[in-house]
Amino acid sequence: MRSSVFQWMGLACMALALVSTSCGVGGGAPGAQRAQRKLYNWHDDGGPGKVTIHISLPDQIAEIERGGRPIGWCYVATGKDGHGTPAGRYKITEKIEDKYSNLYGWIEDEFGNVIDSDASPGDPVPAGAVYVPAPMPYWMRLTSYGIGMHGGYIPEPGKPASHGCIRMPKRFVPVLFDAVEVGTPVTISGAYSRRGPEMEMPSPGELKGNFREIQSRPMNDAEAWRVEPFPFRRGTDPFSY
């Protein structure tokens, strides 16, 4: 009888251990990764027709077509409150692979630590520190007053984050840059995209291409560029961000 009781108690303990493991009793492991959205897809057939781009402000999604055929999409980050990206019909008027902002950036101390993550060229710079202009690689200008598409940090897919430009994922933007030309039409509208705000798990390496691995906390723009910066030479450009 006693051995039967012990056997029953042993089975009960094993069952409790299995339940605790599968249900996460006591909380998950520190730094557990969260599901995140797939950031882009590209399937250009290389067939006839010109490329066109439609950017949805509500969805924060850019849809790309060639001759009316869908060939790709990506999440974007347009202007946040106070820096809204204006809706309208535009054309790409300029392409610069290596570009830096002359309106926005950050300030680093002498050891390379970011002490001001949202700075402008006219802001006071402490002794020993330096102002760093924000990179805007694969720049595709849309307006004369500095709105364009370029590679940039997308902290939360589906939500605006920029100072007015249209940021695109790092590994996607050079592909789009090569597919478009000066004169490519771009529409920015308040209409929802055909995709809608889908939640998808990323394929291996896609989130790494967005300047970061999955993080337990959000980063600012300056920190994001340090994770996996673009390997290109700093240049000069007379236009603003």
Side-chain angles (χ1 to χ4, degrees), residues 133-155:
M136 301 194 305
Y138 299 99
W139 165 252
M140 294 164 276
R141 177 179 294 278
L142 300 180
T143 75
S144 61
Y145 49 89
I147 300 295
M149 303 178 294
H150 62 81
Y153 178 42
I154 301 178

Side-chain angles (χ1 to χ4, degrees), residues 84-198:
T85 302
R89 295 181 180 274
Y90 306 93
K91 289 185 178 181
I92 294 175
T93 59
E94 175 185 59
K95 293 174 61 180
I96 299 177
E97 185 172 339
D98 178 355
K99 178 175 168 58
Y100 285 77
S101 173
N102 60 9
L103 280 185
Y104 302 105
W106 58 83
I107 297 175
E108 299 178 354
D109 64 18
E110 58 185 315
F111 303 106
N113 301 310
V114 177
I115 58 178
D116 184 350
S117 63
D118 191 8
S120 296
D123 292 348
V125 179
V130 63
Y131 172 80
V132 180
M136 301 194 305
Y138 299 99
W139 165 252
M140 294 164 276
R141 177 179 294 278
L142 300 180
T143 75
S144 61
Y145 49 89
I147 300 295
M149 303 178 294
H150 62 81
Y153 178 42
I154 301 178
E156 191 170 354
K159 291 188 178 182
S162 78
H163 288 94
C165 282
I166 300 97
R167 298 180 184 175
M168 294 182 163
K170 175 181 177 181
R171 294 194 183 276
F172 177 82
V173 68
V175 176
L176 181 65
F177 186 87
D178 288 340
V180 302
E181 58 189 21
V182 171
T184 293
V186 178
T187 301
I188 302 174
S189 79
Y192 285 92
S193 70
R194 288 191 298 268
R195 296 190 55 81
E198 298 179 9

